[in-house]
Amino acid sequence: MSVLTAGVDLAAEPPRTAVAWLDWSPGRAHLTRLDLGADDATCLEAMLTADKTGIDCPLGWPAPFIDFITAHRAGTVRVPPGVPGLTWRRALTHRLTDHVVQARTGLRPLSPSADRIGHTTMRCAALLAALAGQGHPVDRRGTGAVVEVYPAACLKLWSLPHQGYKRTRNLTSLGTLVDRLRESAPWLDLGTYEARCRVSDDALDAVICALAARAAALGRTTTPSPEESPTAATEGWIALPTIPLTDLAP
């Protein structure tokens, strides 16, 4: 019996959004579909049809940031006395999961409240609402239909190049990454879409997201502790693979 995972490399608008579908059957994982310029309908289709979908985007905002905005709206903001502005503002920029990922991998995820990825997070929130509206409740801790993933961290944990392959000027590095990925996962069949992965980092990131979704579906990713769980339920949780890429082999 085959299993379908999907990966969504989400951007604020369709032109930089890619969606990949991986069909897992005995002995191989086959890339059956790869859409570039994916609109909301395509992203939602992936979430509805796949057994698990990995999304490269924050699933929520830092709880302290939400509290700050709420207080500002009510006119009740209180700045911590004697604390430098940069210090207390930093507490508003990153989520609990971002700090956990940085401690584990040395990589610092972008801030949904202070970086441009905030636009993408807004789009993601609308997609999650649409998914829930179709009868698929969303658990931002990753136990439901979707899970938050971070391609760069996955690549680093899988001992693959995780930097310097973005944008057109780095096509050589992108091609090298595809070569390394195929060497590490000979069971991964990119099929007719391999050429597209070699020229679009969005396409390859979507594939990495689908691989990470497989790890999550197997229960082989990090999960929040009981103490972290309430915060992760609102802020989101980045699921990091806890097994080598080779162990994903079907």
Side-chain angles (χ1 to χ4, degrees):
M1 179 178 178
S2 66
V3 173
L4 185 67
T5 66
V8 179
D9 182 43
L10 196 66
E13 295 293 334
R16 292 304 307 271
T17 299
V19 181
W21 281 260
L22 280 179
D23 183 78
W24 300 80
S25 57
R28 75 166 186 167
H30 181 213
L31 182 59
T32 58
R33 179 176 169 186
L34 179 62
D35 287 6
L36 298 177
D39 58 15
D40 286 0
T42 302
C43 294
L44 190 59
E45 178 188 356
M47 299 179 202
L48 288 169
T49 59
D51 294 288
K52 194 80 170 183
T53 300
I55 304 177
D56 179 18
C57 178
L59 300 190
W61 283 267
F65 174 72
I66 298 297
D67 293 341
F68 179 81
I69 294 300
T70 302
H72 174 63
R73 179 175 182 176
T76 58
V77 167
R78 296 291 182 267
V79 176
V83 179
L86 182 59
T87 300
W88 67 260
R89 290 197 303 271
R90 278 177 175 164
L92 309 179
T93 60
H94 285 82
R95 303 169 297 160
L96 171 62
T97 189
D98 299 326
H99 295 297
V100 172
V101 167
Q102 184 175 19
R104 189 180 183 97
T105 69
L107 301 176
R108 188 170 180 82
L110 293 174
S111 164
S113 58
D115 288 314
R116 291 188 65 182
I117 199 172
H119 290 272
T120 309
T121 307
M122 294 175 196
R123 183 184 182 194
C124 186
L127 287 170
L128 297 183
L131 181 63
Q134 296 204 31
H136 295 264
V138 175
D139 186 336
R140 297 179 204 172
R141 294 166 294 189
T143 63
V146 300
V147 61
E148 183 180 342
V149 297
Y150 184 11
C154 292
L155 291 171
K156 185 173 184 178
L157 291 169
W158 287 333
S159 300
L160 293 170
H162 65 283
Q163 294 176 323
Y165 67 93
K166 301 283 190 177
R167 306 297 179 258
T168 304
R169 64 180 179 273
N170 293 316
L171 286 184
T172 299
S173 296
L174 179 60
T176 299
L177 174 54
V178 173
D179 291 338
R180 291 281 306 278
L181 178 62
R182 293 189 63 209
E183 291 169 2
S184 299
W187 40 264
L188 176 61
D189 179 12
L190 298 177
T192 59
Y193 300 109
E194 180 175 335
R196 192 173 298 177
C197 290
R198 291 181 178 275
V199 297
S200 169
D201 57 89
D202 298 324
L204 185 60
D205 275 351
V207 173
I208 301 302
C209 289
L211 289 170
R214 170 67 169 180
L218 294 174
R220 304 304 296 272
T221 55
T222 56
T223 56
S225 68
E227 294 75 24
E228 295 166 331
S229 187
T231 299
T234 59
E235 293 187 340
W237 183 264
I238 297 172
L240 298 175
T242 57
I243 54 174
L245 180 61
T246 52
D247 287 2
L248 287 183

